[in-house]
Amino acid sequence: MSTTPAKRIGIGRSFAAGCCTGIPAGVILAYLAPMPFYLGLFFFLVFGLVIGAIMFRFGRGAVPVRPLTLNLTGSVVVLLTWGTTLVTEYATFPGLVARQTETALFRRLTPQQRAEVVAKSRTHVMSQLLGRPYEGGAADWLAGFPKYLRWIARDGTMECPRTVDPSTFTFKTSQRRTSWAFRVVVSMALLAFAVLSQYRLLAQPQKGELSPDVNPSQ
């Protein structure tokens, strides 16, 4: 009797579990990644081990699985998690600028002024990234993502108005240019290592189990 359908179900379950775990993990990692002295990289290793262990747990019924299948499935989850981190970082960027704008004013703002700072900071940031007036909408937001990545890799600074004050201030990301690129590359490597180190264990038969390719009479 063929075990292929059961294996496909097992791999499908492990992949779904990895996606369901990887997306929220990617959101959390977006807030931890910019920690000083690259301390945030440690959490990519920790979260990767957790994701890999969960995928292993849900895929145990499919053991043994071909290494190529595990590498492909695990890599998709790694890219999804890593991509979620970058998208979340981009999505929260205008809010970060708004908070620094408020800090740069050195005074308390009324709720109306705070709302104005948030709205105008978002418009300004997106317009700077796009190189044209920001009109809002999903199309403009999506178009800004690759330009955000290019901006932070090349510069990472932006002249921003204080909104309720005629002056401006220079916004600087905590990690930019080479330091940001280094963090992004190393974070993906650590995440991939951690996830696959756990998930690849599905290629080995568990104790007391025989591989379907082994003849018990031999």
Side-chain angles (χ1 to χ4, degrees):
M1 180 177 177
S2 176
T3 58
T4 300
K7 285 192 174 187
R8 287 178 179 174
I9 292 173
I11 291 299
R13 288 177 59 193
S14 68
F15 175 70
C19 293
C20 291
T21 309
I23 292 174
V27 172
I28 297 172
L29 287 170
Y31 293 94
L32 298 175
M35 291 178 67
F37 308 112
Y38 298 108
L39 293 177
L41 292 175
F42 168 75
F43 293 98
F44 283 87
L45 189 62
V46 172
F47 277 79
L49 291 173
V50 171
I51 295 169
I54 291 174
M55 293 178 70
F56 172 82
R57 173 66 182 82
F58 278 87
R60 280 197 306 182
V63 171
V65 184
R66 291 188 306 168
L68 177 60
T69 300
L70 296 175
N71 288 336
L72 290 175
T73 306
S75 296
V76 171
V77 172
V78 168
L79 290 175
L80 177 65
T81 306
W82 182 71
T84 299
T85 299
L86 292 179
V87 171
T88 303
E89 181 181 323
Y90 164 63
T92 57
F93 176 58
L96 177 62
V97 173
R99 288 192 296 274
Q100 290 206 15
T101 300
E102 185 175 348
T103 301
L105 289 168
F106 302 106
R107 60 187 173 90
R108 292 180 63 86
L109 301 179
T110 64
Q112 293 80 7
Q113 289 175 324
R114 187 173 292 111
E116 182 182 0
V117 167
V118 170
K120 290 188 176 180
S121 292
R122 179 177 182 80
T123 301
H124 174 77
V125 164
M126 294 302 298
S127 297
Q128 290 295 303
L129 293 177
L130 292 170
R132 57 177 172 78
Y134 174 61
E135 299 177 357
D140 269 3
W141 191 86
L142 291 173
F145 177 59
K147 296 190 176 184
Y148 165 77
L149 300 180
R150 184 176 61 182
W151 167 78
I152 196 170
R154 290 184 175 180
D155 187 3
T157 65
M158 184 180 293
E159 198 70 17
C160 300
R162 288 188 168 90
T163 305
V164 295
D165 188 291
S167 60
T168 63
F169 76 101
T170 302
F171 171 86
K172 295 181 180 180
T173 56
S174 57
Q175 293 174 347
R176 59 187 181 275
R177 293 185 291 188
T178 305
S179 63
W180 179 83
F182 171 81
R183 186 257 289 178
V184 168
V185 172
V186 174
S187 67
M188 184 175 67
L190 291 174
L191 189 64
F193 167 77
V195 171
L196 294 177
S197 69
Q198 301 296 303
Y199 196 44
R200 282 174 179 163
L201 296 176
L202 290 177
Q204 305 172 7
Q206 301 298 296
K207 291 183 179 180
E209 296 182 359
L210 288 175
S211 169
D213 298 327
V214 176
N215 189 339
S217 64
Q218 292 180 348

